[in-house]
Every structure is written in structure tokens, then in C-alpha cells.
Amino acid sequence: PQVVIIDEIALGFSQWNDLVGKTMLANSLTSINVVNEGDLLSTGGFVGTFSIGFTAQQSSTAFVGFRSAGNVGWFSLNLGGNFLPINYLEGAFANAGEDIRVGGKSVLLGDVNCDGLVSLLDVQPFVDLLISGGFSEKADMNQDGQVSLLDVSPFVAALSQ
């Protein structure tokens, strides 16, 4: 076994490589799972296991999402092919309660005016989007691809946190 420490997000994984496959076991996470670039990871909606595996022949880039203590994040790996180890490429970790887009930056749902906080200053931009039919990922509270009346209740809940 080879232990891999991902410095940028301070997480440890045990890694086993052989001619059949490669397995990564999370040492300090609630769950990990293979994800796709562009996926939105949410603390409430992320599902995974304690380990993931790849075949030894895979040599492409893989994206892995993880959840730990109410936080989510992602990292990408070069799978290395038959004989080379898995290598960390890049990754990101969201702040507590935030969602994060795989391959992108964290998304603070409800922060419609993009000041880094969910506050009363976000109400008017949220209402403007709701009335105009416009779209902002930060106003799409239920992550269904549109800003609608279904986003109002989660937005109000975010304001009260």
C-alpha cells in the first residue's frame, strides 16, 4: 500500500495498486465517489462509499468527490495506467455548508449579489431574477436549472441561517 497525502485539501488516502486494479480508501472522510467534471456537489445530496476503485488499465483523468464533516470537495487524478501510481492533479474544498462545482469554485447558494454572504442584500437581486425569468446558479436554490417559486422557501431558509 502507498499512502497519498493531498496537501492542498489536507486529506489522506491509502492507495493500493496492482496489475488488476487500483483502490483508494479514504482515511478521514465520510464518503467518496467518482463524479463528473461540472457536477454540483452538495452536503445534503452527496452519496458515496469509503473506498473507490479503478481498473489497472485506466490511464485517463478521473474526478472524485468527497464529503467530510458537513463539507464537500473534489479532486482530479491521473490514473497512471498499468504500472504507475494514481497521481493527484488538482482539487478544491468548499466552506462549511457551501456547494461546490467539480472543476470549479464553490457556490454559496443564496449569495445572489456575490458579496460572499447570504443576507438581506440578496433579496432584491433574487426577486429581480424571479420576476424577469433570469438565471443565476446562486439563486437556483433547489438546483433544478431555473429560478422559480420553488426556490423561494429554500432562499428564505438560507437567509435565516
Side-chain angles (χ1 to χ4, degrees):
Q2 174 185 1
V3 175
V4 178
I5 302 298
I6 300 173
D7 294 329
E8 287 82 350
I9 47 182
L11 300 171
F13 294 86
S14 298
Q15 172 183 321
W16 286 265
N17 297 323
D18 58 32
L19 295 178
V20 177
K22 305 171 184 202
T23 300
M24 294 183 74
L25 174 66
N27 294 333
S28 60
L29 303 178
T30 307
S31 58
I32 59 176
N33 207 347
V34 177
V35 294
N36 295 309
E37 186 172 17
D39 285 354
L40 186 70
L41 305 181
S42 168
T43 55
F46 185 80
V47 180
T49 61
F50 294 108
S51 66
I52 53 174
F54 305 97
T55 66
Q57 291 77 27
Q58 286 178 279
S59 59
S60 60
T61 298
F63 289 91
V64 176
F66 59 87
R67 181 167 49 99
S68 174
N71 297 69
V72 290
W74 63 271
F75 56 90
S76 60
L77 302 167
N78 178 328
L79 297 177
N82 277 338
F83 300 104
L84 298 175
I86 296 171
N87 289 305
Y88 168 80
L89 298 174
E90 64 175 330
F93 191 69
N95 294 322
E98 290 184 5
D99 297 339
I100 193 166
R101 177 115 8 231
V102 176
K105 298 179 181 176
S106 62
V107 177
L108 178 57
L109 293 176
D111 179 22
V112 186
N113 70 349
C114 302
D115 66 357
L117 303 169
V118 179
S119 69
L120 292 176
L121 297 175
D122 295 299
V123 172
Q124 191 60 53
F126 178 83
V127 170
D128 291 345
L129 286 169
L130 191 62
I131 292 171
S132 71
F135 181 79
S136 166
E137 186 174 42
K138 293 182 175 201
D140 183 14
M141 302 299 290
N142 65 357
Q143 301 296 289
D144 65 355
Q146 58 187 353
V147 178
S148 68
L149 291 175
L150 296 174
D151 297 302
V152 172
S153 181
F155 178 71
V156 171
L159 282 172
S160 64
Q161 291 183 355

